[in-house]
């Protein structure tokens, strides 16, 4: 099994804490301490250290898009008119609530985004009335998701 790169910021105990938190981000630190046979204060110190190192970037709730009515989920590649537009396009995409991920990529596309929408008509409006109106967007190519085969966290 792959594991995170060992460096000066982590050790075996840190990786155990990260593994347990990635399985259940809501586990009380006191329960985590009992499972790992360490003190509650040590868990707090280690998590704080991992946050300060930028390894743990936050705790969040994962929402189910389909259950919230977002029936159309796409991954869309964006071709820019010129490479210099990539950064300003990404900034404008942040303002569109339905664009929930944006990645810099190599190859045909400059950016690859994930869009959630209630239906295909709403997706069309997001693409044509918002994304294609951003200065520097040349074209888009969308791939419809029929559902995730699986999703998982980083290996630790």
């Amino acid at each position: 099994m792959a594991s995170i790169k060992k460096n000066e910021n982590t050790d075996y105990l840190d990786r155990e804490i990260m593994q347990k938190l990635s399985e259940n981000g809501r586990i009380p630190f006191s329960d985590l301490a009992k499972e790992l046979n360490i003190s509650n204060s040590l868990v707090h110190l280690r998590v704080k250290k991992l946050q300060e190192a930028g390894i743990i970037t936050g705790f969040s709730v994962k929402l189910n898009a389909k259950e919230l009515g977002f029936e159309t989920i796409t991954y869309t590649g964006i071709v820019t008119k010129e490479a210099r537009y990539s950064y300003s396009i990404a900034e404008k995409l942040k303002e569109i609530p339905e664009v929930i991920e944006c990645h810099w990529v190599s190859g045909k596309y400059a950016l690859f985004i994930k869009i959630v929408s209630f239906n295909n008509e709403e997706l069309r409006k997001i693409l044509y009335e918002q994304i294609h109106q951003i200065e520097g967007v040349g074209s888009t190519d969308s791939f419809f998701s029929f559902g995730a085969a699986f999703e998982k966290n980083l290996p630790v």
Side-chain angles (χ1 to χ4, degrees):
M1 183 169 121
S3 63
I4 64 170
K5 180 180 173 185
K6 293 180 182 175
N7 61 39
E8 67 278 357
N9 292 327
T10 63
D11 61 13
Y12 174 78
L13 183 56
D14 291 330
R15 288 189 294 280
E16 286 294 311
I17 291 170
M18 288 184 285
Q19 179 65 44
K20 298 286 186 190
L21 287 173
S22 70
E23 291 169 3
N24 177 6
R26 294 186 55 165
I27 186 172
F29 286 179
S30 57
D31 291 355
L32 188 53
K34 287 176 190 169
E35 284 187 35
L36 298 175
N37 200 27
I38 58 176
S39 71
N40 192 24
S41 61
L42 183 55
V43 171
H44 282 273
L45 288 171
R46 291 297 185 108
V47 169
K48 183 179 179 185
K49 179 186 88 164
L50 292 166
Q51 288 174 306
E52 289 171 352
I55 295 170
I56 293 178
T57 58
F59 299 88
S60 65
V61 173
K62 184 160 175 46
L63 302 174
N64 183 319
K66 296 276 185 186
E67 291 298 321
L68 289 170
F70 295 102
E71 292 298 322
T72 302
I73 300 171
T74 63
Y75 294 89
T76 301
I78 298 176
V79 176
T80 58
K81 291 180 181 174
E82 295 178 33
R84 66 184 174 95
Y85 287 112
S86 295
Y87 295 102
S88 61
I89 291 169
E91 287 301 312
K92 290 291 185 185
L93 290 169
K94 282 183 190 176
E95 299 171 11
I96 303 171
E98 295 85 359
V99 176
I100 61 170
E101 286 184 36
C102 180
H103 299 269
W104 309 108
V105 294
S106 63
K108 178 180 178 180
Y109 309 109
L111 300 163
F112 210 72
I113 61 175
K114 183 175 182 180
I115 304 171
V116 295
S117 57
F118 292 117
N119 53 46
N120 291 350
E121 178 61 19
E122 183 184 336
L123 173 65
R124 185 194 63 74
K125 288 178 182 177
I126 293 165
L127 287 170
Y128 295 161
E129 297 174 14
Q130 295 182 67
I131 294 173
H132 282 267
Q133 300 305 312
I134 298 172
E135 183 181 8
V137 170
S139 64
T140 59
D141 195 5
S142 294
F143 304 87
F144 286 79
S145 170
F146 298 124
F150 66 87
E151 293 180 25
K152 58 184 179 178
N153 211 334
L154 296 171
V156 290

